[in-house]
Amino acid sequence: LGVRVQTAASNDGVEVGEVVTGSPAEAAGVLQGDVIVAITVKGVAHPTPNAAAFATIMAGFEPDTEIQLSVRRGTTTVEL
């Protein structure tokens, strides 16, 4: 994916601390400071309440798996 994350202070997602240049995350429009609240694959949403859950979910996917991110950006939630 190409992000470094930590559990958000609100404890309801993972905050993006860094987006790796040239990564799929950068291409999708993920920004530093975004809070990833869910990952959707093949129509199934997987909540990401903390960094450990995020890592576990991501480890379960094969490389090049297409995913959709639900991202809280300020007061708005966007789908990337």
Side-chain angles (χ1 to χ4, degrees), residues 2-77:
V3 293
R4 289 185 175 69
V5 299
Q6 63 188 20
T7 300
S10 56
N11 226 13
D12 63 348
V14 291
E15 183 175 350
V16 177
E18 179 183 357
V19 179
V20 176
T21 301
S23 69
E26 182 184 51
V30 176
L31 302 176
Q32 182 178 351
D34 283 349
V35 176
I36 301 170
V37 296
I39 299 169
T40 302
V41 177
K42 297 181 182 176
V44 178
H46 304 273
T48 55
N50 54 52
F54 177 83
T56 299
I57 293 164
M58 290 303 297
F61 300 135
E62 293 293 323
D64 298 323
T65 299
E66 188 172 315
I67 65 172
Q68 181 177 2
L69 301 176
S70 297
V71 174
R72 191 173 62 241
R73 187 172 288 163
T75 58
T76 304
T77 300

